Amino acid sequence: MRAVDFFDPAVGGGSMLDNAGAGGGEPLNVIISGLSSADVLSDTGIVNYARAIGFSTECFGVHLGDPQSANLGDGNGFVNQTIELRQDFGDPDVGTCLESLVGGNHFRVYRQNGPTANSGALFLARSQSHTIAPNGYNVGRDRLSSSAIGTKSFGSVTYTTVGKNLTGLLLPGATGVNHGIATDGITTLLTVTIN
């Protein structure tokens, strides 16, 4: 177990917006706490947890679009996303092919593990639809949170997730946000425990 939920990226010169390329960023509007069970915070663990809440790896392992990067203020500077997970429409094997074609929920994962702020927390950039629907960042965050909170299981692993909303990390509004879509400034913190 880590000692903290996460470190505020801004304190270490980072940002709660990733770098999406074209001058804007997607909000890192969900954080999986560093106080979560250690196995959840590993690369294989986050994939299994994602499958428990309706997401999976990309269609046949093929990534559409360029990876994005984020600076979590942990001393690592800008680092490419660890993984991108997509809504699986009820089929963890091939359901993400449909998401890649028609859009839906997806999230990018960034790990805060640098030498100056090693919380182990996972910062998620959440959005809804490839074209980013109006209010899509808020909607994507809320849908992921509602799918996650409570008790879920996959692959013989059972998870209990509790969540709380935080303000003060993200600025409300559209300044610096990809596609110019305003956010409400809320970040949801999820703490995930393996039962």
Side-chain angles (χ1 to χ4, degrees):
M1 286 274 225
R2 306 284 181 151
V4 296
D5 286 312
F6 63 93
F7 295 104
D8 181 351
V11 172
S15 175
M16 288 292 291
L17 296 173
D18 73 6
N19 180 0
E26 293 186 352
L28 302 172
N29 53 11
V30 177
I31 300 171
I32 298 180
S33 168
L35 299 178
S36 299
S37 295
D39 283 352
V40 175
L41 302 173
S42 70
D43 288 355
T44 56
I46 187 57
V47 169
N48 198 76
Y49 178 65
R51 288 176 171 152
I53 63 172
F55 295 80
S56 193
T57 53
E58 300 203 80
C59 180
F60 300 113
V62 176
H63 176 67
L64 299 179
D66 294 329
Q68 296 179 8
S69 61
N71 180 349
L72 299 181
D74 60 1
N76 282 337
F78 279 93
V79 176
N80 280 349
Q81 65 200 40
T82 301
I83 193 170
E84 185 167 350
L85 296 157
R86 298 184 182 277
Q87 184 177 359
D88 68 14
F89 295 96
D91 186 337
D93 295 320
V94 296
T96 57
C97 297
L98 182 58
E99 197 279 347
S100 293
L101 290 172
V102 302
N105 272 315
H106 59 275
F107 62 92
R108 304 170 197 276
V109 179
Y110 304 92
R111 181 175 287 112
Q112 189 176 56
N113 64 352
T116 59
N118 184 9
S119 68
L122 302 178
F123 286 65
L124 313 183
R126 288 288 305 110
S127 58
Q128 172 73 22
S129 169
H130 291 318
T131 56
I132 310 299
N135 204 33
Y137 294 119
N138 298 336
V139 170
R141 176 202 62 219
D142 292 345
R143 287 188 177 169
L144 182 143
S145 299
S146 64
S147 296
I149 291 171
T151 300
K152 313 287 179 174
S153 62
F154 186 86
S156 75
V157 182
T158 300
Y159 306 92
T160 298
T161 303
V162 296
K164 65 178 177 179
N165 289 337
L166 307 175
T167 57
L169 293 169
L170 278 165
L171 291 176
T175 302
V177 180
N178 203 27
H179 304 291
I181 293 176
T183 74
D184 57 13
I186 292 172
T187 302
T188 299
L189 177 68
L190 301 177
T191 304
V192 185
T193 305
I194 294 176
N195 297 346

